[in-house]
Amino acid sequence: MRSDSMKKGLERAPHRSLFKALGLTDEEIVRPMIGIANSANEVIPGHLHLHQLSDAVKAGVRMAGGTPLEFFTIGICDGIIMGHEGMKYSLSSRELIADSVESMAMAYPFDGLVLIPNCDKIIPGMMMAAARLNIPTLLVSGGPMLAGEFQGREIDLITVFESVGKVKVGEMTEKDLREIEGCACPGVGSCAGMFTANSMNCVAEVLGLSLPYNGTIPAVFAERIRLGKKSGVQIMELIKKNLTPSKILTKDAFENAVTVDMAFGGSTNTALHLPAIAKEAGIKLSLQTFNEISGKTPHLCNMSPGGPHHLQDLHRAGGIPALMKELSRAGLIHQDPLTVTGKSIGENLKGKKIFNPEVIRPIERPYHATGGLAVLFGNLAPEGAVVKQSAVDEAMLKHRGPARVFDSEDEAIKVILDRKIKKGEVLVIRYEGPKGGPGMREMLGPTSAMVGVGRDRDAALLTDGRFSGGTRGAAIGHISPEAAVGGPIGVVRDGDQIEIDIPGKRLNLLISNEELKERLSRWKAPKKELKGYLKRYARLVTSANTGATLED
């Protein structure tokens, strides 16, 4: 066993003495040791209950003859840090989480790992560590929050963000906003729509790193506790079979993940996280791959924020296994990749079926003929830009309009809420990329404000930063190269005409090549005074089109 190097033999008597100081018996020390990486804390609603889930995992490990040893990682809630300086620490925390799990699993040579994340960057950070370490590993998340209810309709966190703009334009009272604020997030779990956290929890299931239904069982269901116990038992099976992430995270597995992501209309942030996880697994996953798969994958689930359904609806409809089974009817799912069940994808999907054909539509009757995400290229985004096309109003799929340029998110949101954005304008928010921010802030504030003031259907928003999984409208992010490294977005001027063609996968600044070259030759990088972790992060982080990973 891997853990023998820290506990077996005469010379390890001091080490065993320290384990006994923890209260471990000789029998527990002899058993396989399982690291439980828990991101529980009292700051994130999605993580408040993870101690209970961890107890279930540990019970499963003990049931199967192992010894669980729990440790903790940091966790940051994108909703709470949205719209202020704290958001610069969200994406950057992904690398800290990956490094911390790696550090613990190398310092203490566990025989296996169970990862317990739930929100945004914690999930991909832990999966990056799993790929990097390549020891038997299983992920079990805290699960999605239930949707809230207001005046007979289902709502979620995005409703609150968008309601702020509605109050500003007089379409909603502050009294109603206060009531929505109190009922949109009814309890623990990752926010109820197909936002980044739930997209990534579902993706973990598709990749084969989680047991079936990990992505959709609501956080408050007893079924989630049983899943934790099953995960604890199953990690012991993975150790016996030496089933490691390198045998699971194959190219076919990543293509499956992108396919399912397109079918459920996931967060644009998956285009950051999947390439980053693939890189750790030694696989190149380009943005072109996302486009290729999107072009042949129908959009079958109309999930919030683009549609009316929430994760609880998807779970009742059959969950990710039912969606994958439907996609496999059209030959869109690779059947051979192994999963932590010990079986292949094809074996896992036997007998799965859809229970609600409106939540998971059949292949013959999709919501859209192509996938939820699209990657655009052009002289404004030579290395790509990402948009959730399934959440864009049909009238904005093709658009040409004058640029309105802002050098930060903060400048833009004030103008939006003051109702100073005109119909047809293309807002450009720059110097918010991985290096320029630094940290590539999510911009749910500006996009929700656009919805609230009624500009999501007749104006667009472009950025070298990124958007929340809860964003809807003609919001195009991840523009690469970013402004801070001399990308073309850095030389756009107020009034420049910008062409958006989402079906044609194009994003262009309508000036001559000569004019563009001349502007770029005169561009100078603005200076920012940074310190601490962000200073180191800005020095090492790479472009969004590579997953915003750190330089090797």
Side-chain angles (χ1 to χ4, degrees):
M1 291 189 296
R2 189 170 180 265
S3 63
D4 284 348
S5 63
M6 66 176 172
K7 67 185 185 184
K8 190 174 183 179
L10 183 68
E11 65 280 3
R12 294 293 181 258
H15 304 63
R16 292 193 295 273
S17 180
L18 289 168
F19 281 127
K20 288 180 179 180
L22 297 174
L24 297 183
T25 64
D26 285 328
E27 183 180 5
E28 288 176 300
I29 294 170
V30 168
R31 291 174 176 176
M33 289 185 165
I34 310 301
I36 311 294
N38 189 356
S39 56
N41 62 57
E42 295 182 354
V43 187
I44 312 178
H47 292 234
L48 188 63
H49 64 304
L50 294 189
H51 289 297
Q52 184 184 18
L53 182 61
S54 177
D55 286 343
V57 171
K58 288 186 280 188
V61 170
R62 292 189 183 104
M63 286 163 57
T67 298
L69 296 169
E70 185 176 22
F71 62 92
F72 297 90
T73 73
I74 63 168
I76 290 176
C77 174
D78 282 29
I80 295 173
I81 67 171
M82 192 74 67
H84 59 85
E85 287 293 293
M87 179 50 84
K88 294 180 179 180
Y89 287 87
S90 173
L91 181 60
S92 61
S93 74
R94 184 187 71 181
E95 316 308 314
L96 289 175
I97 291 160
D99 289 351
S100 65
V101 174
E102 175 199 355
S103 297
M104 289 295 288
M106 293 304 294
Y108 305 98
F110 301 120
D111 299 297
L113 281 175
V114 178
L115 310 174
I116 308 179
N118 208 31
C119 293
D120 292 84
K121 310 311 155 301
I122 303 107
I123 306 156
M126 286 192 173
M127 287 199 281
M128 288 166 68
R132 187 184 302 171
L133 289 162
N134 199 35
I135 62 176
T137 302
L138 189 150
L139 184 148
V140 54
S141 77
M145 185 184 291
L146 295 175
E149 187 173 313
F150 175 70
Q151 296 180 354
R153 66 185 177 95
E154 285 190 349
I155 62 172
D156 52 45
L157 179 67
I158 306 310
T159 313
V160 191
F161 273 97
E162 294 178 355
S163 296
V164 173
K166 290 181 179 179
V167 171
K168 286 278 187 178
V169 299
E171 289 187 9
M172 180 179 287
T173 66
E174 289 191 39
K175 181 177 180 293
D176 279 349
L177 174 58
R178 182 57 63 92
E179 188 176 341
I180 287 171
E181 173 187 321
C183 61
C185 300
V188 298
S190 49
C191 297
M194 193 57 84
F195 314 141
T196 303
N198 290 325
S199 295
M200 292 308 301
N201 278 328
C202 290
V203 159
E205 187 180 329
V206 180
L207 282 173
L209 287 179
S210 296
L211 294 178
Y213 307 105
N214 170 74
T216 56
I217 298 171
V220 295
F221 281 18
E223 189 181 355
R224 175 67 55 181
I225 300 301
R226 294 195 295 272
L227 183 71
K229 290 179 181 177
K230 290 176 183 176
S231 296
V233 170
Q234 189 61 22
I235 188 62
M236 299 299 292
E237 287 298 311
L238 299 187
I239 292 168
K240 290 176 187 175
K241 296 176 179 177
N242 193 31
L243 185 49
T244 59
S246 64
K247 299 172 184 174
I248 293 171
L249 297 176
T250 62
K251 186 173 184 293
D252 282 355
F254 280 101
E255 289 183 357
N256 281 346
V258 175
T259 297
V260 178
D261 182 21
M262 295 302 166
F264 63 50
S267 165
T268 52
N269 285 309
T270 58
L272 281 175
H273 301 319
L274 280 170
I277 299 164
K279 180 182 176 183
E280 297 287 355
I283 295 166
K284 184 175 181 181
L285 187 64
S286 69
L287 289 181
Q288 285 86 349
T289 302
F290 281 76
N291 261 353
E292 290 166 8
I293 291 176
S294 179
K296 62 184 179 182
T297 304
H299 178 220
L300 302 182
C301 301
N302 203 15
M303 308 290 292
S304 175
H309 301 130
H310 292 90
L311 269 290
Q312 64 207 51
D313 304 313
L314 180 57
H315 185 60
R316 294 189 186 110
I320 296 302
L323 176 57
M324 292 181 74
K325 181 69 173 181
E326 185 63 19
L327 290 166
S328 68
R329 285 181 53 222
L332 295 171
I333 295 292
H334 298 293
Q335 304 288 307
D336 295 335
L338 288 172
T339 75
V340 291
T341 64
K343 300 176 182 177
S344 69
I345 289 287
E347 291 173 305
N348 287 345
L349 296 183
K350 286 180 180 176
K352 303 302 180 185
K353 59 183 180 180
I354 297 170
F355 297 106
N356 186 331
E358 280 306 304
V359 177
I360 306 174
R361 282 195 172 179
I363 287 282
E364 296 82 7
R365 192 169 57 88
Y367 283 99
H368 301 95
T370 56
L373 301 185
V375 181
L376 314 184
F377 295 91
N379 69 355
L380 190 51
E383 295 174 357
V386 182
V387 60
K388 183 185 276 196
Q389 62 182 351
S390 59
V392 178
D393 188 89
E394 189 173 342
M396 290 300 294
L397 290 173
K398 289 187 175 184
H399 179 73
R400 179 182 294 190
R404 185 85 173 271
V405 182
F406 303 92
D407 284 344
S408 74
E409 173 189 359
D410 311 270
E411 293 176 18
I413 194 166
K414 184 179 186 306
V415 172
I416 297 169
L417 289 174
D418 287 345
R419 303 183 69 183
K420 293 180 179 178
I421 300 301
K422 298 176 182 177
K423 180 179 179 179
E425 286 188 321
V426 179
L427 281 67
V428 177
I429 303 177
R430 61 192 181 194
Y431 298 109
E432 291 286 6
K435 282 187 182 291
M440 205 180 181
R441 287 194 285 181
E442 276 189 354
M443 298 188 195
L444 181 57
T447 57
S448 296
M450 293 277 280
V451 174
V453 302
R455 281 283 171 257
D456 59 308
R457 297 185 178 187
D458 59 21
L461 200 161
L462 314 182
T463 183
D464 54 6
R466 61 195 178 92
F467 297 113
S468 163
T471 286
R472 59 189 172 109
I476 300 168
H478 304 200
I479 291 179
S480 302
E482 62 175 293
V485 298
I489 188 175
V491 297
V492 179
R493 296 174 182 170
D494 283 339
D496 284 345
Q497 289 289 310
I498 292 176
E499 179 189 42
I500 298 167
D501 182 355
I502 294 174
K505 310 294 190 290
R506 293 194 302 272
L507 181 63
N508 285 306
L509 177 62
L510 299 180
I511 63 175
S512 68
N513 290 337
E514 292 74 18
E515 171 71 7
L516 180 57
K517 288 177 182 177
E518 193 271 333
R519 289 188 191 182
L520 288 170
S521 70
R522 291 191 284 109
W523 173 86
K524 290 184 180 180
K527 290 184 178 180
K528 283 191 177 182
E529 292 298 323
L530 300 173
K531 60 183 180 180
Y533 176 57
L534 284 183
K535 185 175 183 178
R536 300 195 301 275
Y537 179 80
R539 188 184 305 132
L540 294 172
V541 70
T542 61
S543 175
N545 69 298
T546 64
T549 55
L550 301 186
E551 290 179 3
D552 293 328

